[in-house]
Every structure is written in structure tokens, then in C-alpha cells.
Amino acid sequence: MSTSPLNVLFLCTHNSARSILAEALLNHLGQGRFQAYSAGSSPRDNQQPNPFALDALTRAGISTEGLH
């Protein structure tokens, strides 16, 4: 029996680190059971993911593809 992945939204103030980390981790650890997304309640103009967060994910072997 095949089921659709459960959609999960992680919401943070600026969507630069915490929600980005949560999104990437759940997509990685969930092994297809979840489709995680992240967003910011008050994103800044031209907000980019925190480079330290992206580096931590890369060092842990977790894909950063598609994070924005």
C-alpha cells in the first residue's frame, strides 16, 4: 500500500537557519515519508539561507539542493 508523503511546514521568523535546518533534516531522515518545507513569518528582502547552516548540513552529508 503506497501513501503520499506527509507535508510539514517549519515556520521561523526570517527563514535563514532554524527552519532551513529542520526542512533539510526531515527530508533527509524521513526517507520519503515526509515532504518538508520552510518559510519565514517576517522574511527580509533578499533573505538567503545562513551560510553556517548550509555548511553544517553539507558537513553532515545532507543535501542543501533547493533550499532558499
Side-chain angles (χ1 to χ4, degrees):
M1 182 172 151
S2 177
T3 60
S4 300
L6 182 64
N7 291 317
V8 177
L9 174 64
F10 291 100
L11 185 62
C12 195
T13 305
H14 299 296
N15 193 36
S16 66
R18 291 172 290 194
S19 53
I20 293 281
L21 290 168
E23 173 188 358
L25 284 168
L26 186 59
N27 283 332
H28 179 77
L29 297 173
Q31 299 176 345
R33 296 174 301 195
F34 301 95
Q35 180 58 59
Y37 303 92
S38 63
S41 60
S42 298
R44 297 178 183 139
D45 289 339
N46 299 316
Q47 181 72 49
Q48 297 295 317
N50 184 305
F52 294 116
L54 295 178
D55 183 56
L57 291 168
T58 300
R59 285 186 284 119
I62 298 171
S63 174
T64 59
E65 176 116 13
L67 298 177
H68 59 279

Short mmCIF file of all heavy atoms in Angstrom, two decimals:
data_model
loop_
_atom_site.label_atom_id
_atom_site.label_comp_id
_atom_site.label_asym_id
_atom_site.label_seq_id
_atom_site.Cartn_x
_atom_site.Cartn_y
_atom_site.Cartn_z
N MET A 1 0.84 -1.17 0.00
CA MET A 1 0.00 0.00 0.00
C MET A 1 0.89 1.24 0.00
O MET A 1 1.72 1.43 0.87
CB MET A 1 -0.89 -0.03 1.25
CG MET A 1 -1.84 1.11 1.33
SD MET A 1 -2.95 0.82 2.72
CE MET A 1 -3.30 2.48 3.14
N SER A 2 0.72 2.10 -0.98
CA SER A 2 1.52 3.30 -1.11
C SER A 2 0.73 4.50 -0.59
O SER A 2 -0.43 4.68 -0.93
CB SER A 2 1.90 3.50 -2.57
OG SER A 2 2.60 4.71 -2.70
N THR A 3 1.39 5.31 0.23
CA THR A 3 0.75 6.52 0.72
C THR A 3 1.58 7.72 0.33
O THR A 3 2.78 7.64 0.13
CB THR A 3 0.59 6.49 2.26
OG1 THR A 3 1.88 6.38 2.84
CG2 THR A 3 -0.28 5.33 2.70
N SER A 4 0.90 8.84 0.21
CA SER A 4 1.59 10.09 -0.11
C SER A 4 2.39 10.55 1.09
O SER A 4 1.99 10.33 2.23
CB SER A 4 0.58 11.17 -0.48
OG SER A 4 -0.17 10.79 -1.59
N PRO A 5 3.50 11.25 0.84
CA PRO A 5 4.27 11.77 1.97
C PRO A 5 3.48 12.85 2.71
O PRO A 5 2.67 13.56 2.11
CB PRO A 5 5.53 12.35 1.33
CG PRO A 5 5.22 12.52 -0.11
CD PRO A 5 4.12 11.57 -0.44
N LEU A 6 3.71 12.95 3.99
CA LEU A 6 3.07 13.94 4.83
C LEU A 6 3.79 15.27 4.65
O LEU A 6 5.01 15.34 4.80
CB LEU A 6 3.13 13.50 6.30
CG LEU A 6 2.45 14.41 7.30
CD1 LEU A 6 0.95 14.47 7.06
CD2 LEU A 6 2.72 13.90 8.72
N ASN A 7 3.06 16.31 4.30
CA ASN A 7 3.64 17.65 4.15
C ASN A 7 3.82 18.29 5.52
O ASN A 7 2.90 18.26 6.34
CB ASN A 7 2.75 18.54 3.29
CG ASN A 7 2.72 18.10 1.85
OD1 ASN A 7 3.75 17.77 1.29
ND2 ASN A 7 1.55 18.07 1.25
N VAL A 8 5.00 18.88 5.73
CA VAL A 8 5.31 19.53 7.00
C VAL A 8 5.91 20.90 6.70
O VAL A 8 6.80 21.01 5.85
CB VAL A 8 6.33 18.71 7.83
CG1 VAL A 8 6.70 19.42 9.12
CG2 VAL A 8 5.78 17.32 8.12
N LEU A 9 5.42 21.93 7.37
CA LEU A 9 5.95 23.28 7.21
C LEU A 9 6.62 23.71 8.50
O LEU A 9 6.01 23.67 9.57
CB LEU A 9 4.84 24.27 6.87
CG LEU A 9 5.25 25.75 6.82
CD1 LEU A 9 6.25 25.99 5.70
CD2 LEU A 9 4.02 26.63 6.66
N PHE A 10 7.87 24.12 8.41
CA PHE A 10 8.60 24.68 9.54
C PHE A 10 8.62 26.19 9.35
O PHE A 10 9.09 26.68 8.33
CB PHE A 10 10.03 24.13 9.61
CG PHE A 10 10.08 22.68 9.98
CD1 PHE A 10 10.25 21.71 9.01
CD2 PHE A 10 9.94 22.28 11.30
CE1 PHE A 10 10.30 20.37 9.35
CE2 PHE A 10 9.98 20.94 11.65
CZ PHE A 10 10.16 19.99 10.67
N LEU A 11 8.10 26.90 10.32
CA LEU A 11 7.99 28.35 10.24
C LEU A 11 8.92 28.99 11.27
O LEU A 11 8.94 28.61 12.43
CB LEU A 11 6.54 28.77 10.51
CG LEU A 11 6.21 30.24 10.37
CD1 LEU A 11 6.45 30.69 8.94
CD2 LEU A 11 4.76 30.47 10.75
N CYS A 12 9.70 29.93 10.81
CA CYS A 12 10.64 30.66 11.65
C CYS A 12 10.52 32.14 11.29
O CYS A 12 9.90 32.49 10.30
CB CYS A 12 12.03 30.13 11.38
SG CYS A 12 13.26 30.58 12.58
N THR A 13 11.11 33.00 12.07
CA THR A 13 10.97 34.43 11.82
C THR A 13 11.52 34.85 10.46
O THR A 13 10.82 35.43 9.64
CB THR A 13 11.65 35.25 12.93
OG1 THR A 13 11.11 34.84 14.18
CG2 THR A 13 11.39 36.73 12.74
N HIS A 14 12.78 34.57 10.19
CA HIS A 14 13.39 35.04 8.94
C HIS A 14 13.69 33.92 7.95
O HIS A 14 14.11 34.21 6.84
CB HIS A 14 14.68 35.81 9.23
CG HIS A 14 14.46 37.02 10.06
ND1 HIS A 14 13.71 38.09 9.64
CD2 HIS A 14 14.88 37.34 11.31
CE1 HIS A 14 13.68 39.01 10.59
NE2 HIS A 14 14.37 38.57 11.61
N ASN A 15 13.51 32.67 8.32
CA ASN A 15 13.78 31.53 7.45
C ASN A 15 15.21 31.52 6.94
O ASN A 15 15.46 31.34 5.75
CB ASN A 15 12.79 31.50 6.27
CG ASN A 15 12.82 30.18 5.54
OD1 ASN A 15 12.98 29.14 6.15
ND2 ASN A 15 12.67 30.21 4.24
N SER A 16 16.16 31.71 7.84
CA SER A 16 17.55 31.68 7.38
C SER A 16 18.35 30.53 7.98
O SER A 16 19.34 30.11 7.39
CB SER A 16 18.26 32.99 7.71
OG SER A 16 18.39 33.16 9.10
N ALA A 17 17.93 29.99 9.12
CA ALA A 17 18.72 28.92 9.73
C ALA A 17 17.85 27.81 10.33
O ALA A 17 17.84 26.69 9.84
CB ALA A 17 19.68 29.47 10.78
N ARG A 18 17.11 28.11 11.39
CA ARG A 18 16.39 27.05 12.11
C ARG A 18 15.41 26.29 11.24
O ARG A 18 15.41 25.05 11.21
CB ARG A 18 15.67 27.63 13.33
CG ARG A 18 16.62 28.09 14.41
CD ARG A 18 15.87 28.83 15.47
NE ARG A 18 15.42 30.11 14.90
CZ ARG A 18 14.97 31.12 15.61
NH1 ARG A 18 14.86 31.01 16.91
NH2 ARG A 18 14.61 32.24 15.03
N SER A 19 14.56 27.00 10.52
CA SER A 19 13.57 26.32 9.69
C SER A 19 14.23 25.63 8.49
O SER A 19 13.80 24.55 8.07
CB SER A 19 12.48 27.28 9.23
OG SER A 19 13.03 28.41 8.60
N ILE A 20 15.29 26.23 7.97
CA ILE A 20 16.05 25.62 6.87
C ILE A 20 16.67 24.30 7.34
O ILE A 20 16.62 23.28 6.65
CB ILE A 20 17.15 26.58 6.37
CG1 ILE A 20 16.55 27.80 5.70
CG2 ILE A 20 18.16 25.87 5.49
CD1 ILE A 20 16.07 27.60 4.28
N LEU A 21 17.27 24.31 8.54
CA LEU A 21 17.86 23.09 9.10
C LEU A 21 16.80 22.02 9.30
O LEU A 21 17.00 20.85 8.96
CB LEU A 21 18.57 23.40 10.42
CG LEU A 21 19.85 24.22 10.33
CD1 LEU A 21 20.27 24.69 11.72
CD2 LEU A 21 20.96 23.44 9.67
N ALA A 22 15.65 22.41 9.85
CA ALA A 22 14.57 21.45 10.11
C ALA A 22 14.05 20.85 8.80
O ALA A 22 13.83 19.64 8.71
CB ALA A 22 13.45 22.13 10.88
N GLU A 23 13.87 21.69 7.79
CA GLU A 23 13.41 21.22 6.48
C GLU A 23 14.37 20.18 5.91
O GLU A 23 13.96 19.08 5.50
CB GLU A 23 13.28 22.40 5.51
CG GLU A 23 12.96 21.99 4.09
CD GLU A 23 13.02 23.13 3.10
OE1 GLU A 23 13.27 24.29 3.49
OE2 GLU A 23 12.81 22.86 1.90
N ALA A 24 15.63 20.52 5.87
CA ALA A 24 16.63 19.62 5.29
C ALA A 24 16.74 18.32 6.08
O ALA A 24 16.83 17.23 5.49
CB ALA A 24 17.99 20.31 5.21
N LEU A 25 16.74 18.42 7.40
CA LEU A 25 16.86 17.22 8.23
C LEU A 25 15.67 16.28 8.07
O LEU A 25 15.84 15.06 7.94
CB LEU A 25 17.02 17.60 9.71
CG LEU A 25 18.39 18.11 10.10
CD1 LEU A 25 18.35 18.75 11.50
CD2 LEU A 25 19.41 16.99 10.05
N LEU A 26 14.45 16.83 8.08
CA LEU A 26 13.29 15.95 7.95
C LEU A 26 13.22 15.32 6.57
O LEU A 26 12.90 14.14 6.44
CB LEU A 26 11.99 16.70 8.26
CG LEU A 26 10.75 15.81 8.30
CD1 LEU A 26 10.87 14.70 9.35
CD2 LEU A 26 9.51 16.65 8.55
N ASN A 27 13.55 16.09 5.54
CA ASN A 27 13.57 15.50 4.20
C ASN A 27 14.61 14.39 4.11
O ASN A 27 14.38 13.36 3.47
CB ASN A 27 13.84 16.57 3.14
CG ASN A 27 12.60 17.41 2.86
OD1 ASN A 27 11.48 16.95 3.01
ND2 ASN A 27 12.82 18.64 2.44
N HIS A 28 15.74 14.57 4.77
CA HIS A 28 16.81 13.56 4.75
C HIS A 28 16.44 12.34 5.60
O HIS A 28 16.52 11.20 5.13
CB HIS A 28 18.10 14.19 5.25
CG HIS A 28 19.25 13.25 5.30
ND1 HIS A 28 19.95 12.86 4.16
CD2 HIS A 28 19.84 12.61 6.34
CE1 HIS A 28 20.90 12.02 4.52
NE2 HIS A 28 20.86 11.86 5.83
N LEU A 29 16.07 12.58 6.84
CA LEU A 29 15.80 11.48 7.77
C LEU A 29 14.46 10.79 7.52
O LEU A 29 14.29 9.63 7.86
CB LEU A 29 15.85 11.99 9.21
CG LEU A 29 17.21 12.53 9.68
CD1 LEU A 29 17.08 13.17 11.06
CD2 LEU A 29 18.26 11.44 9.67
N GLY A 30 13.52 11.52 6.92
CA GLY A 30 12.18 10.97 6.69
C GLY A 30 12.12 9.94 5.58
O GLY A 30 11.14 9.21 5.47
N GLN A 31 13.15 9.85 4.78
CA GLN A 31 13.28 8.83 3.73
C GLN A 31 12.02 8.72 2.87
O GLN A 31 11.51 7.64 2.63
CB GLN A 31 13.64 7.49 4.35
CG GLN A 31 14.95 7.51 5.10
CD GLN A 31 15.25 6.20 5.78
OE1 GLN A 31 14.38 5.35 5.93
NE2 GLN A 31 16.48 6.04 6.20
N GLY A 32 11.50 9.87 2.44
CA GLY A 32 10.34 9.88 1.55
C GLY A 32 8.99 9.87 2.24
O GLY A 32 7.96 10.00 1.59
N ARG A 33 8.97 9.67 3.56
CA ARG A 33 7.68 9.67 4.28
C ARG A 33 7.15 11.07 4.51
O ARG A 33 5.98 11.24 4.79
CB ARG A 33 7.84 8.95 5.62
CG ARG A 33 8.18 7.48 5.47
CD ARG A 33 8.46 6.87 6.80
NE ARG A 33 9.59 7.63 7.37
CZ ARG A 33 10.30 7.23 8.39
NH1 ARG A 33 10.03 6.11 8.99
NH2 ARG A 33 11.30 7.97 8.84
N PHE A 34 8.05 12.07 4.42
CA PHE A 34 7.67 13.46 4.64
C PHE A 34 8.16 14.32 3.48
O PHE A 34 9.18 14.01 2.87
CB PHE A 34 8.30 14.00 5.93
CG PHE A 34 7.90 13.24 7.15
CD1 PHE A 34 8.71 12.21 7.63
CD2 PHE A 34 6.73 13.54 7.83
CE1 PHE A 34 8.35 11.50 8.76
CE2 PHE A 34 6.37 12.83 8.95
CZ PHE A 34 7.17 11.81 9.42
N GLN A 35 7.46 15.41 3.23
CA GLN A 35 7.93 16.45 2.34
C GLN A 35 7.94 17.73 3.16
O GLN A 35 6.88 18.28 3.45
CB GLN A 35 7.02 16.60 1.12
CG GLN A 35 7.48 17.67 0.16
CD GLN A 35 8.90 17.43 -0.36
OE1 GLN A 35 9.19 16.40 -0.96
NE2 GLN A 35 9.78 18.37 -0.12
N ALA A 36 9.11 18.13 3.59
CA ALA A 36 9.24 19.29 4.47
C ALA A 36 9.48 20.55 3.67
O ALA A 36 10.12 20.53 2.61
CB ALA A 36 10.36 19.07 5.47
N TYR A 37 8.98 21.65 4.20
CA TYR A 37 9.17 22.97 3.62
C TYR A 37 9.51 23.92 4.77
O TYR A 37 9.22 23.64 5.93
CB TYR A 37 7.88 23.46 2.94
CG TYR A 37 7.39 22.54 1.86
CD1 TYR A 37 6.48 21.53 2.15
CD2 TYR A 37 7.84 22.66 0.55
CE1 TYR A 37 6.02 20.68 1.16
CE2 TYR A 37 7.39 21.81 -0.44
CZ TYR A 37 6.48 20.82 -0.13
OH TYR A 37 6.04 19.98 -1.11
N SER A 38 10.08 25.06 4.43
CA SER A 38 10.34 26.07 5.45
C SER A 38 9.91 27.42 4.93
O SER A 38 9.90 27.66 3.71
CB SER A 38 11.82 26.09 5.85
OG SER A 38 12.63 26.46 4.75
N ALA A 39 9.56 28.30 5.86
CA ALA A 39 9.13 29.65 5.50
C ALA A 39 9.43 30.59 6.65
O ALA A 39 9.67 30.15 7.78
CB ALA A 39 7.63 29.66 5.19
N GLY A 40 9.38 31.87 6.35
CA GLY A 40 9.61 32.88 7.37
C GLY A 40 8.37 33.73 7.58
O GLY A 40 7.71 34.11 6.61
N SER A 41 8.04 34.04 8.82
CA SER A 41 6.89 34.89 9.10
C SER A 41 7.19 36.35 8.80
O SER A 41 6.30 37.13 8.51
CB SER A 41 6.43 34.73 10.55
OG SER A 41 7.48 35.11 11.44
N SER A 42 8.45 36.73 8.86
CA SER A 42 8.89 38.10 8.55
C SER A 42 10.20 38.05 7.77
O SER A 42 11.23 38.55 8.24
CB SER A 42 9.09 38.90 9.83
OG SER A 42 7.90 39.03 10.56
N PRO A 43 10.16 37.45 6.58
CA PRO A 43 11.42 37.34 5.83
C PRO A 43 11.94 38.71 5.42
O PRO A 43 11.17 39.63 5.17
CB PRO A 43 11.05 36.50 4.61
CG PRO A 43 9.58 36.66 4.46
CD PRO A 43 9.04 36.90 5.84
N ARG A 44 13.24 38.84 5.41
CA ARG A 44 13.88 40.08 4.99
C ARG A 44 13.98 40.10 3.47
O ARG A 44 13.98 39.06 2.82
CB ARG A 44 15.27 40.18 5.60
CG ARG A 44 15.27 40.23 7.10
CD ARG A 44 16.70 40.26 7.63
NE ARG A 44 16.69 40.23 9.06
CZ ARG A 44 17.53 39.54 9.79
NH1 ARG A 44 18.46 38.81 9.22
NH2 ARG A 44 17.45 39.57 11.10
N ASP A 45 14.10 41.30 2.89
CA ASP A 45 14.33 41.42 1.46
C ASP A 45 15.61 40.68 1.10
O ASP A 45 16.62 40.79 1.79
CB ASP A 45 14.46 42.88 1.04
CG ASP A 45 13.14 43.63 1.11
OD1 ASP A 45 12.08 42.96 1.08
OD2 ASP A 45 13.16 44.87 1.21
N ASN A 46 15.56 39.92 0.04
CA ASN A 46 16.73 39.16 -0.45
C ASN A 46 17.31 38.21 0.59
O ASN A 46 18.52 37.97 0.61
CB ASN A 46 17.82 40.11 -0.97
CG ASN A 46 17.32 40.96 -2.12
OD1 ASN A 46 16.66 40.44 -3.00
ND2 ASN A 46 17.62 42.24 -2.09
N GLN A 47 16.46 37.68 1.48
CA GLN A 47 16.91 36.75 2.52
C GLN A 47 17.52 35.51 1.89
O GLN A 47 16.95 34.94 0.96
CB GLN A 47 15.73 36.35 3.41
CG GLN A 47 16.09 35.41 4.53
CD GLN A 47 16.87 36.10 5.62
OE1 GLN A 47 16.47 37.15 6.08
NE2 GLN A 47 17.96 35.52 6.03
N GLN A 48 18.66 35.11 2.35
CA GLN A 48 19.35 33.90 1.90
C GLN A 48 19.58 33.00 3.11
O GLN A 48 19.69 33.47 4.23
CB GLN A 48 20.69 34.26 1.27
CG GLN A 48 20.58 35.12 0.03
CD GLN A 48 19.88 34.39 -1.10
OE1 GLN A 48 20.15 33.22 -1.35
NE2 GLN A 48 18.98 35.07 -1.79
N PRO A 49 19.65 31.68 2.87
CA PRO A 49 19.97 30.78 3.99
C PRO A 49 21.30 31.15 4.63
O PRO A 49 22.24 31.57 3.95
CB PRO A 49 20.05 29.41 3.32
CG PRO A 49 19.21 29.53 2.10
CD PRO A 49 19.40 30.95 1.64
N ASN A 50 21.38 30.99 5.93
CA ASN A 50 22.60 31.28 6.67
C ASN A 50 23.71 30.35 6.16
O ASN A 50 23.55 29.13 6.15
CB ASN A 50 22.34 31.05 8.16
CG ASN A 50 23.51 31.41 9.02
OD1 ASN A 50 24.61 30.91 8.82
ND2 ASN A 50 23.28 32.26 9.99
N PRO A 51 24.85 30.92 5.75
CA PRO A 51 25.93 30.08 5.22
C PRO A 51 26.47 29.07 6.24
O PRO A 51 26.91 27.99 5.86
CB PRO A 51 27.01 31.07 4.79
CG PRO A 51 26.64 32.38 5.37
CD PRO A 51 25.18 32.34 5.70
N PHE A 52 26.41 29.40 7.52
CA PHE A 52 26.87 28.45 8.54
C PHE A 52 25.91 27.25 8.63
O PHE A 52 26.34 26.12 8.85
CB PHE A 52 27.00 29.13 9.90
CG PHE A 52 28.07 30.18 9.94
CD1 PHE A 52 27.75 31.50 10.15
CD2 PHE A 52 29.41 29.85 9.76
CE1 PHE A 52 28.73 32.47 10.19
CE2 PHE A 52 30.40 30.80 9.79
CZ PHE A 52 30.06 32.13 10.00
N ALA A 53 24.61 27.50 8.46
CA ALA A 53 23.63 26.42 8.46
C ALA A 53 23.85 25.51 7.26
O ALA A 53 23.84 24.27 7.39
CB ALA A 53 22.21 26.98 8.46
N LEU A 54 24.07 26.11 6.10
CA LEU A 54 24.32 25.31 4.90
C LEU A 54 25.60 24.49 5.03
O LEU A 54 25.65 23.33 4.63
CB LEU A 54 24.39 26.21 3.67
CG LEU A 54 23.10 26.93 3.29
CD1 LEU A 54 23.34 27.82 2.08
CD2 LEU A 54 21.96 25.97 3.06
N ASP A 55 26.62 25.09 5.62
CA ASP A 55 27.89 24.39 5.83
C ASP A 55 27.70 23.21 6.78
O ASP A 55 28.24 22.12 6.55
CB ASP A 55 28.95 25.36 6.38
CG ASP A 55 30.29 24.69 6.54
OD1 ASP A 55 30.81 24.14 5.54
OD2 ASP A 55 30.83 24.71 7.68
N ALA A 56 26.94 23.42 7.85
CA ALA A 56 26.69 22.33 8.81
C ALA A 56 25.96 21.17 8.14
O ALA A 56 26.30 20.00 8.37
CB ALA A 56 25.88 22.84 10.00
N LEU A 57 24.99 21.47 7.30
CA LEU A 57 24.27 20.41 6.58
C LEU A 57 25.20 19.67 5.63
O LEU A 57 25.19 18.44 5.58
CB LEU A 57 23.09 21.01 5.82
CG LEU A 57 21.93 21.52 6.67
CD1 LEU A 57 20.96 22.34 5.82
CD2 LEU A 57 21.21 20.38 7.36
N THR A 58 26.00 20.41 4.91
CA THR A 58 26.94 19.80 3.96
C THR A 58 27.91 18.89 4.68
O THR A 58 28.18 17.75 4.24
CB THR A 58 27.70 20.89 3.18
OG1 THR A 58 26.75 21.69 2.46
CG2 THR A 58 28.70 20.29 2.21
N ARG A 59 28.45 19.35 5.81
CA ARG A 59 29.40 18.53 6.58
C ARG A 59 28.74 17.27 7.12
O ARG A 59 29.40 16.25 7.31
CB ARG A 59 30.03 19.34 7.70
CG ARG A 59 31.09 20.33 7.20
CD ARG A 59 31.82 21.05 8.32
NE ARG A 59 30.95 22.09 8.88
CZ ARG A 59 30.54 22.15 10.13
NH1 ARG A 59 30.93 21.26 11.01
NH2 ARG A 59 29.74 23.12 10.54
N ALA A 60 27.42 17.33 7.36
CA ALA A 60 26.69 16.17 7.86
C ALA A 60 26.24 15.24 6.74
O ALA A 60 25.61 14.21 6.99
CB ALA A 60 25.48 16.63 8.68
N GLY A 61 26.53 15.63 5.49
CA GLY A 61 26.15 14.79 4.36
C GLY A 61 24.69 14.93 3.96
O GLY A 61 24.13 14.03 3.34
N ILE A 62 24.09 16.06 4.28
CA ILE A 62 22.68 16.30 3.97
C ILE A 62 22.61 17.31 2.84
O ILE A 62 23.23 18.37 2.88
CB ILE A 62 21.93 16.83 5.22
CG1 ILE A 62 21.97 15.74 6.32
CG2 ILE A 62 20.50 17.19 4.89
CD1 ILE A 62 21.47 16.20 7.66
N SER A 63 21.81 17.00 1.84
CA SER A 63 21.70 17.84 0.65
C SER A 63 21.13 19.22 0.99
O SER A 63 20.19 19.34 1.78
CB SER A 63 20.80 17.16 -0.38
OG SER A 63 20.58 18.05 -1.48
N THR A 64 21.69 20.24 0.38
CA THR A 64 21.18 21.59 0.52
C THR A 64 20.51 22.04 -0.79
O THR A 64 20.10 23.19 -0.91
CB THR A 64 22.30 22.59 0.88
OG1 THR A 64 23.29 22.57 -0.13
CG2 THR A 64 22.91 22.23 2.23
N GLU A 65 20.39 21.15 -1.73
CA GLU A 65 19.76 21.45 -3.02
C GLU A 65 18.32 21.90 -2.82
O GLU A 65 17.54 21.27 -2.11
CB GLU A 65 19.79 20.21 -3.92
CG GLU A 65 19.09 20.40 -5.22
CD GLU A 65 20.03 20.29 -6.38
OE1 GLU A 65 21.16 19.84 -6.19
OE2 GLU A 65 19.61 20.65 -7.47
N GLY A 66 17.97 23.01 -3.43
CA GLY A 66 16.60 23.50 -3.38
C GLY A 66 16.25 24.36 -2.18
O GLY A 66 15.15 24.87 -2.10
N LEU A 67 17.18 24.51 -1.24
CA LEU A 67 16.89 25.35 -0.08
C LEU A 67 17.01 26.82 -0.49
O LEU A 67 17.95 27.21 -1.15
CB LEU A 67 17.87 25.05 1.07
CG LEU A 67 17.81 23.64 1.63
CD1 LEU A 67 18.88 23.46 2.72
CD2 LEU A 67 16.43 23.33 2.19
N HIS A 68 16.03 27.60 -0.11
CA HIS A 68 16.07 29.03 -0.43
C HIS A 68 15.28 29.83 0.59
O HIS A 68 14.53 29.29 1.36
CB HIS A 68 15.53 29.29 -1.84
CG HIS A 68 14.12 28.85 -2.07
ND1 HIS A 68 13.82 27.54 -2.35
CD2 HIS A 68 12.96 29.50 -2.03
CE1 HIS A 68 12.50 27.44 -2.50
NE2 HIS A 68 11.96 28.61 -2.31
#
